[in-house]
Amino acid sequence: MKVLIVSAHPEQASLTNSLRNAAASQLQADEHEVRITDLYEIGWKCAVDRADFPTLPHGERLRVPAASGEAFSTGSLTEDVSSQQADLLWADALILAFPMWWFSMPAILKGWIDRVYSYGFAYGVGEHSDVRWGDRYGEGRLEGKRAMLIVTAGGWESHYGPRGINGPIDDLLFDPGYQVLPPVVVYQSDRVDDDGFAAAEARLRTTMASLFSVTPIPFRRQNDGDYTIPAMELTAEAVPPEVVGFGAHQSPPKQ
Ligand SMILES: Cc1cc2nc3c(=O)[nH]c(=O)nc-3n(C[C@H](O)[C@H](O)[C@H](O)COP(=O)(O)O)c2cc1C
């Protein structure tokens, strides 16, 4: 199978990049094809701006979704963006590797998503009507592909537990684009010594061995009847009204 790893860390000796390398080497050992996009190494342009839409007439107001859709449908996206989209279409699985910075991803990676997941490619796809609300949340162009996060976090595992002060890690990393696999999170990452690096890498190698067999997180599909359209709220039949939060968007385990 083919795996794209996108990493966002400025230091090759970081825990994040060590885990990325361990993932890549294990996947290659298992005879998967791997491409790595190191966003710092390629000097990824992070911010969306007018330069992303070279065919937008001078003086016309920049409406980003519309300009993005126009550029995508006419093949006039900038080369850096279109080659990343080609890599996403090439890959059977996408892995994003990053340190948690302010409860989220580093800006360079957010900027990769902002620019690469363009209108017509990752959103604004499919029929919008009273029975469907486009193709997203597991449907659409990337349907059937797997995605996984490798995250290092300075905080403790308990800080990110169900009652932890930072909020549950699964809510922070909520990402329902692909068939989403459980993330690999290494906690207390600033205190990891050489043995800890090796242990984290070993854990990751085991995870990689099941990349294409592990069961994805069972997110509900938006067009399969669990949501009202167009409000896109869970129906009371799917989930009792008093149940809220990200966890409600997962199907209950089968009995
Ligand atoms: C700007 C910045 C913001 C950070 N924010 C968080 C955070 O929100 N939660 C957390 O657990 N750790 C946070 N940390 C700690 C990083 O997650 C930690 O330094 C990193 O995972 C260490 O791994 P590395 O060797 O790959 O950099 C932050 C660090 C920096 C530099």
Side-chain angles (χ1 to χ4, degrees):
M1 304 291 262
K2 303 183 190 100
V3 183
L4 175 66
I5 305 181
V6 178
S7 64
H9 199 293
E11 169 59 55
Q12 289 306 326
S14 62
L15 180 59
T16 301
N17 280 340
S18 303
L19 296 177
R20 174 202 68 190
N21 294 342
S25 77
Q26 184 61 47
L27 289 165
Q28 281 159 342
D30 293 338
E31 303 195 342
H32 298 298
E33 261 182 86
V34 180
R35 287 184 191 168
I36 295 179
T37 299
D38 181 325
L39 295 177
Y40 280 92
E41 201 173 74
I42 65 173
W44 180 255
K45 172 182 177 285
C46 180
V48 175
D49 61 19
R50 225 180 156 88
D52 288 332
F53 313 109
T55 57
L56 186 71
H58 182 72
E60 185 171 317
R61 172 178 163 189
L62 169 60
R63 297 174 192 266
V64 175
S68 169
E70 170 74 12
F72 177 74
S73 64
T74 58
S76 56
L77 287 165
T78 55
E79 198 282 327
D80 59 346
V81 169
S82 57
S83 75
Q84 294 296 313
Q85 290 183 347
D87 277 354
L88 285 173
L89 294 175
W90 167 86
D92 300 300
L94 168 69
I95 296 177
L96 303 180
F98 60 91
M100 183 178 286
W101 283 356
W102 294 111
F103 303 107
S104 184
M105 58 187 73
I108 199 168
L109 179 55
K110 179 59 166 53
W112 179 82
I113 292 175
D114 290 347
R115 296 185 60 232
V116 174
Y117 285 22
S118 61
Y119 189 101
F121 180 76
Y123 72 110
V125 179
E127 170 190 332
H128 286 70
S129 65
D130 53 358
V131 291
R132 295 186 63 81
W133 199 252
D135 297 338
R136 53 179 194 164
Y137 293 107
E139 297 175 88
R141 207 175 294 279
L142 304 169
E143 182 166 1
K145 297 176 186 286
R146 299 182 153 228
M148 201 188 97
L149 304 180
I150 298 174
V151 182
T152 61
W156 297 22
E157 186 165 3
S158 59
H159 301 177
Y160 291 99
R163 289 162 62 82
I165 190 159
N166 291 347
I169 193 75
D170 287 343
D171 291 4
L172 291 170
L173 300 180
F174 184 73
D175 173 5
Y178 287 65
Q179 294 205 341
V180 182
L181 308 183
V184 172
V185 184
V186 178
Y187 296 98
Q188 291 181 268
S189 51
D190 287 311
R191 293 165 187 274
V192 176
D193 58 13
D194 288 352
D195 287 349
F197 263 60
E201 286 170 6
R203 189 179 138 208
L204 199 63
R205 285 179 181 279
T206 308
T207 307
M208 287 301 113
S210 63
L211 187 69
F212 289 100
S213 56
V214 72
T215 306
I217 301 172
F219 286 117
R220 297 171 190 277
R221 289 162 74 100
Q222 64 165 17
N223 297 311
D224 285 1
D226 287 348
Y227 297 87
T228 58
I229 298 175
M232 299 313 303
E233 289 180 317
L234 283 161
T235 64
E237 293 73 41
V239 180
E242 66 276 12
V243 179
V244 296
F246 283 121
H249 299 291
Q250 291 187 30
S251 303
K254 294 209 172 62
Q255 300 298 323

